Amino acid sequence: MAGRGLPTGVGMTALYVVLERRVENARTDRLFHDPFAARFLTALRGAPSMAATAAFSNVSGFLRGYIPLRTWFYDTCALEAARTTCRQVVLLGGGLDTRAFRLQWPEGTRVFDVDSPAMLALQADVVASAHPTCYRSPVAVEDLSGLRTALHSAGFNPDEPTAWVLEGLLSRLSEAENDEVMAEITGLSASGSRLVADHFNHAIRRNPRFCVAEQLLTVLGPIWKSAKDDVIAWLATYGWNAQVMSPDRPAATAARRLPPVLDRHLVDPGRVWFVRAAITRP
């Protein structure tokens, strides 16, 4: 396995997510099985910078437990969509996740793994000896403007229902980019398509607890660029029927405790949104 340099900018947040998933995978009561998380850390040459290491440690103190819960929520929603209406799944900007390999997809599922060439190259190193549990198509894009063309070239069929998986993506994009990606997704979505995403409102970004975590992460580069106060209304403008929930609901289902920075009783009226949506066309 060839060694690679560490990701930079947003890629460093992907590394943080991998670290959290590795910790979760070592638990006896883990929410998911992810043998690839540790492999990513081995594949990366060297260790994070001292500043990044300190940021990871400090942020974990504020957010410990959130990433595993979010991962479990996305896994559950993506598999449910594939088992019902969607045999196409698009992982949009999934970073260092390996859902095409670690989840048990229904027979005939095709997963389009969309990310930057650098991220996909790192994934290729880690999964070189593994076999996907679906038909997997890596799709390299540098920015959102190339999404439609790249998907079509990879064999994507816009006439079939698609499950769109946007883990941690929307808040990393500007307001304009949020609209751009939803316009593209909607234009590629047949009736019966599903979407799973997460976002947060403006109030939580003003909460002192949340501001501390955000400031700790800025050493890794720009992290969050947008927020949505009414996700349901926003998605409705694109024809999506959405349901939103605070992380405390899946946390209760998973018998996990939320970190205080995300406990809605402590950060009210701040909200983190877990979003599920579907589109129905005439």
Side-chain angles (χ1 to χ4, degrees):
M1 181 184 297
R4 290 186 178 271
L6 288 164
T8 58
V10 171
M12 288 297 286
T13 64
L15 179 58
Y16 169 71
V17 171
V18 166
L19 286 164
E20 291 292 300
R21 291 208 316 267
R22 182 186 65 174
V23 171
E24 178 68 20
N25 194 61
R27 292 180 57 143
T28 56
D29 62 342
R30 63 192 179 200
L31 294 176
F32 51 82
H33 180 48
D34 185 359
F36 299 98
R39 299 184 196 178
F40 276 118
L41 301 178
T42 300
L44 291 165
R45 185 173 54 239
S49 67
M50 290 181 63
T53 300
F56 289 163
S57 177
N58 290 331
V59 171
S60 290
F62 281 86
L63 295 178
R64 176 70 73 194
Y66 171 67
I67 293 300
L69 182 67
R70 190 181 74 177
T71 299
W72 175 74
F73 173 77
Y74 272 86
D75 288 354
T76 301
C77 292
L79 286 175
E80 179 186 355
R83 289 166 181 162
T84 52
T85 61
C86 304
R87 286 297 183 270
Q88 286 186 144
V89 178
V90 177
L91 309 177
L92 192 54
L96 302 181
D97 204 341
T98 48
R99 286 191 168 94
F101 296 85
R102 63 181 182 79
L103 297 183
Q104 294 303 309
W105 298 99
E107 185 177 355
T109 302
R110 184 162 190 179
V111 172
F112 296 86
D113 213 338
V114 182
D115 218 311
S116 68
M119 281 291 184
L120 290 177
L122 180 54
Q123 281 195 40
D125 278 354
V126 168
V127 302
S129 61
H131 298 285
T133 58
C134 57
Y135 297 103
R136 176 180 181 259
S137 297
V139 181
V141 295
E142 289 289 1
D143 53 55
L144 295 172
S145 63
L147 178 61
R148 180 183 294 264
T149 299
L151 281 174
H152 281 311
S153 296
F156 177 85
N157 184 354
D159 296 323
E160 294 184 8
T162 301
W164 299 91
V165 180
L166 278 60
E167 185 175 13
L169 177 67
L170 295 176
S171 60
R172 301 200 313 257
L173 303 177
S174 68
E175 298 287 349
E177 289 170 330
N178 271 219
D179 289 323
E180 182 182 350
V181 73
M182 280 312 305
E184 280 293 275
I185 285 174
T186 303
L188 293 168
S189 295
S191 183
S193 293
R194 307 280 188 91
L195 179 147
V196 56
D198 58 275
H199 222 315
F200 42 71
N201 67 1
H202 290 86
I204 200 168
R205 295 193 68 182
R206 295 189 292 268
N207 184 276
R209 293 174 181 267
F210 194 82
C211 286
V212 171
E214 185 170 7
Q215 289 167 3
L216 291 170
L217 277 170
T218 56
V219 70
L220 309 180
I223 302 300
W224 297 305
K225 299 180 181 179
S226 62
K228 294 291 181 188
D229 289 330
D230 192 339
V231 179
I232 293 176
W234 175 61
L235 289 176
T237 64
Y238 292 96
W240 293 84
N241 180 22
Q243 298 176 324
V244 301
M245 67 184 78
S246 295
D248 58 315
R249 191 188 305 177
T253 301
R256 290 296 179 91
R257 180 179 290 182
L258 275 179
V261 70
L262 298 180
D263 186 331
R264 66 185 179 90
H265 299 294
L266 298 178
V267 299
D268 194 67
R271 290 288 185 273
V272 173
W273 306 122
F274 279 6
V275 185
R276 305 175 67 173
I279 193 167
T280 303
R281 300 188 183 279

